[in-house]
Amino acid sequence: MTKQTTITADEARFPLSKLVLSPMNPRQNVPAAEVEELAESIWTAGLIQNLAGIMDENGGAEIVAGGRRLRALQLLAERHPELAQERPELASPRVLIAPDQTTAQAWAVAENAARRDLHPADEIRAYGKMERSGATPAVIARAFAVTEKSVYRRLALAGLPEPVIDALAANEINLSAAACFTISADEARTLEVLEKCRGDNWSDYQIKKALKPDAVKETDRRAKFVGIEAYQAAGGRVGGDLFAEETLLDDTDILDTVFADRLAEMAESHKRDGWKWVEVNHADYLGWWFVQENGFERIYKEEGELSPEQAERFDELAALAEAEALDEDGQAELATLNAITEGDFTDTQRAHSGLIIYVDREGEVQSYEGLIRKGDKAEAIAAGVLTKSQHSADDAPKSPISQKLRDDLGRVSRGARQHAALRDPDLLIDLLAYQLSHNLYWSKPFGLSVEDVPNWPTTEADGYALDERLTENPPRDMYGKDLGKSFRAFRQKGPDHIRGELVRFLAAQLRGGDEKLVALIEKETQPNTREVWTPTAANFFGRVGGPYMADLWRDLLDLSADHPTATGFDKLKKGEKAAKLEALFRGDHELRSALGITDEQADKIAAWLPEGME
């Protein structure tokens, strides 16, 4: 193996009059507008990236890397005759001098080789300085040859206290940690947390929690219920995590007060509906156990019945709704007919019972209606609202039906329901789609269990993209919801929606089967792993050894072991090998052109999969 030679280069300052553009420099023609913008950037932020060149016969230097910067400096010299006195570092810039013509040529071919990437802290300060001088993000982006999105993200950090940016520059915190500090407007608190976390590898969550220990997200059920505007109108402060794109509510005491007041207003509104009493509960779910533990008796709505004409009209409207051809008036009419079938509490029922309202985890108001308190039971019985129990639990006679017989009778009843269900296959398919797409816990209609059929890597998923139907919209949580009402609404979305839900959840459960069945399925579906997965440094190459990557590099490019391209790859560090292979697989045009990739090699790269991957 040939020993790698380290290039030794000197730095020197030269007056601008001694610097000329080398014929080797790739930037022979640069738009005047770019030079103008770069000159503005250099005047504001300084010359952060040095020039690179080779000595000429006149004691000056020919610039092989940094042609735009040289032109921008020359423009500044024209505009500022006293540049040597005003900004001597710009009038005599530093130049990295190549030791020989070969090195200079290499720098010219790959101009970035002689430049260092800006540290994020330097970018933040430079962009912030330019913005304060009046430059727009678009101008800054063009001046630094970056995207506007990148500029905006750096400018979001430019207002941080200087010690935070200093800590970033010293690598005591990383960029992600620095971004966490944008949620705080309290500088004293910011600096206190900074001192605790610098150099201590705190997670983003720990930093945010330390900066705002009591803040809640806008997704908190209380915030969703009352709304951000109502919270702010009460004096609540709103902060935000610019990078996580989330809003934070800083004053939880105010939020709790607004939450309680809004619930109290709703309770008053319900009292006007004729209920004997209305209470609020601050829990996020109330179940049957709550009714039992508090000794309530519960009564239910008296179901309504549609007249023959109404039933016929209901079927017409339901058919239009399934075809998505129902207008707004039709939807209102259908809702009215639905309300009749669902029934309602009578005035007498309301006069002897009450309800409890609460806000669930999604910020939606829920209620437990028709609850009769212990002290109101006698009056409710007298009014015929509640039926008097014939026996107490203690003196109830022993049932002649054994528990085993009771279980058998239950099985018979269930069999009768299954027998009847066979007459309505569409209902069964709708129920299956509904169960798969909603998390019904123990209330599921079918005795089917959905397994976890994993389709996502346990670590880095970069370079892996499945159809969003397999990764988005997980089964909706129906804890504490009215399943009958929910299922009716689900069916009204029509057969196409139901079929789509069924298909995507069945696809997510696909395991295969035996060898012959798998072969049949694959013949029908033609799966292609590389359609959804591309090997990257994070998801594959960084997780295998250097020799493996070297062998793969030679195999893909049809290289012998002593080929310069192969030996050059061998000398790279593991991370550099992984990055280069990632660029090759991602189709980096510059790299593929430099390597002279043939169509056959491109096809081989496009089809390659690690051994053992189907």
Side-chain angles (χ1 to χ4, degrees), residues 2 5 66 76 81 131 157 274 284 434 445 479 538 547 573 581:
T2 305
T5 303
L76 289 174
E131 184 187 45
L157 300 170
D284 62 10
Y434 179 70
Y479 192 55
K573 295 179 180 178
L581 277 167

Side-chain angles (χ1 to χ4, degrees), residues 79-96:
R79 292 179 175 176
H80 301 276
E82 302 300 321
L83 186 65
Q85 286 73 41
E86 294 180 50
R87 303 287 295 276
E89 77 282 4
L90 301 183
S92 297
R94 288 186 181 277
V95 179
L96 189 66

Side-chain angles (χ1 to χ4, degrees), residues 96-162:
L96 189 66
I97 300 299
D100 51 51
Q101 193 77 7
T102 302
T103 302
Q105 182 66 53
W107 287 355
V109 172
E111 182 177 356
N112 289 330
R115 301 189 308 190
R116 64 176 178 89
D117 289 333
L118 283 180
H119 190 283
D122 294 330
E123 286 184 326
I124 293 166
R125 287 177 168 136
Y127 297 176
K129 191 173 181 181
M130 285 192 69
E131 184 187 45
R132 289 190 293 274
S133 72
T136 65
V139 169
I140 298 171
R142 287 193 295 272
F144 283 86
V146 296
T147 64
E148 283 190 48
K149 182 179 180 180
S150 176
V151 172
Y152 277 113
R153 292 181 71 85
R154 293 293 186 262
L155 288 177
L157 300 170
L160 287 172
E162 200 63 26

